[in-house]
């Protein structure tokens, strides 16, 4: 078997959550990176989670760029990529040095921190100038390189530059595609892209790709505030359990 330590029932659970997280995250532009670790960590451990999400996100972000391509702000996407790529490489390399417990602590803590951070940035409504945007994107690069769920930070940065709605989702997806290529290259060079990692990532990606287009049809009928609050609650509870498990 390609995945001797993962049962068929666990693969079905992973695929089901991939579908749910992609659809629920469609309106906000994030979801897979925040929810998938909650089921992946208990099944495969913490160490492979960021490489798995990095590969599967290539499918999701490609679909988002295709679905919202007319709203893409290419200039802001290019600025973020140029600023964040070097620090993303550093963050991905540092992640490969972590133990399983260290990876669980980093992922869980980052996911919990994104909830109040997003709310604070939204409440204050800060507008970023170009220089501040470049600096913030560079800082985000090291975080996204070594964690999962940090996409919400980029969303907040893009909104702070004045982007709204579909433009935020499309631009975030384009930047995340570039980050994903870099992360996969670093993880491949470090030898952490095992057969199991690739198979599970492809499973998530194949399920998530069509669900992204389904999400586009559904989001118009959903309350963004309600599903975002539900997502926040799940992230906080699940991440707390992840951190607690790291100390057991």
């Amino acid at each position: 078997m390609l995945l001797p330590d993962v049962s068929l029932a666990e693969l079905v659970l992973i695929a089901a959550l991939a579908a749910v997280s992609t659809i629920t995250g469609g309106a906000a532009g994030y979801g897979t990176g925040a929810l998938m670790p909650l089921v992946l960590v208990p099944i495969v451990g913490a160490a492979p989670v960021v490489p798995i999400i990095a590969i599967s996100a290539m499918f999701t972000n490609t679909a988002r760029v295709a679905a919202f391509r007319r709203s893409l702000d290419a200039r802001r996407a290019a600025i973020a990529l140029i600023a964040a790529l070097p620090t993303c490489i550093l963050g991905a390399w540092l992640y490969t040095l972590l133990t399983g417990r260290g990876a669980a602590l980093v992922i869980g803590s980052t996911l919990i921190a994104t909830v109040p951070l997003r709310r604070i940035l939204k409440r204050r409504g800060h507008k970023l100038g170009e220089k501040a945007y470049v600096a913030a994107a560079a800082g985000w690069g090291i975080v996204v390189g070594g964690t999962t769920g940090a996409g919400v930070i980029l969303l907040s940065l893009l909104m702070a530059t004045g982007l709204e709605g579909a433009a935020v989702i499309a631009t975030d997806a384009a930047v995340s595609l570039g980050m994903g290529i870099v992360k996969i290259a670093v993880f491949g060079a470090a030898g952490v892209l095992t057969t199991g990692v690739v198979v599970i990532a492809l499973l998530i990606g194949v399920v998530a790709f069509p669900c992204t287009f389904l999400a586009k049809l559904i989001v118009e009928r959903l309350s963004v505030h309600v599903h975002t609050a539900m997502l926040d609650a799940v992230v906080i509870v699940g991440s707390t359990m992840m951190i607690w498990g790291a100390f057991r």
Side-chain angles (χ1 to χ4, degrees):
M1 292 180 64
L2 288 176
L3 302 170
D5 298 323
V6 182
S7 68
L8 178 59
E10 289 172 330
L11 289 175
V12 171
L13 177 61
I14 290 172
L17 186 59
V20 171
S21 63
T22 302
I23 294 172
T24 57
Y30 76 103
T32 305
L35 290 179
M36 288 309 302
L38 306 183
V39 70
L40 287 175
V41 170
I43 294 175
V44 302
V49 168
V50 171
I52 288 173
I53 298 298
I55 297 173
S56 62
M58 299 299 289
F59 290 82
T60 309
N61 288 317
T62 298
R64 284 178 178 162
V65 170
F68 299 98
R69 61 188 178 279
R70 296 183 185 278
S71 302
L72 172 65
D73 189 317
R75 184 173 181 277
R76 285 191 174 93
I79 291 173
L81 281 169
I82 293 171
L85 280 175
T87 53
C88 177
I89 294 173
L90 175 60
W93 175 73
L94 290 174
Y95 181 84
T96 65
L97 304 180
L98 292 175
T99 62
R101 174 176 291 184
L105 292 174
V106 168
I107 294 171
S109 300
T110 301
L111 290 177
I112 291 175
T114 59
V115 175
L117 177 61
R118 178 183 57 78
R119 293 180 179 274
I120 291 171
L121 291 175
K122 183 177 180 180
R123 188 183 306 118
R124 291 186 176 181
H126 287 314
K127 293 291 183 180
L128 287 180
E130 192 163 288
K131 290 182 179 180
Y133 175 53
V134 170
W140 168 75
I142 194 168
V143 177
V144 76
T147 65
T148 182
V152 67
I153 299 175
L154 179 59
L155 290 174
S156 298
L157 295 179
L158 292 172
M159 287 187 286
T161 66
L163 292 186
E164 296 179 344
V168 175
I169 297 176
T171 306
D172 166 78
V175 174
S176 297
L177 272 175
M179 295 294 104
I181 293 172
V182 170
K183 290 169 69 173
I184 292 170
V186 174
F187 293 143
V192 298
L193 296 183
T194 63
T195 301
V197 165
V198 174
V199 170
I200 292 175
L202 291 177
L203 170 64
I204 296 171
V206 169
V207 171
F209 190 90
C211 289
T212 302
F213 292 92
L214 177 60
K216 184 183 179 183
L217 300 176
I218 295 176
V219 293
E220 297 176 355
R221 300 174 176 82
L222 288 177
S223 167
V224 175
H225 298 293
V226 171
H227 96 69
T228 300
M230 293 175 62
L231 188 61
D232 286 347
V234 172
V235 167
I236 291 174
V237 173
S239 300
T240 301
M241 293 176 63
M242 191 185 307
I243 293 174
W244 178 73
F247 286 103
R248 293 180 63 185

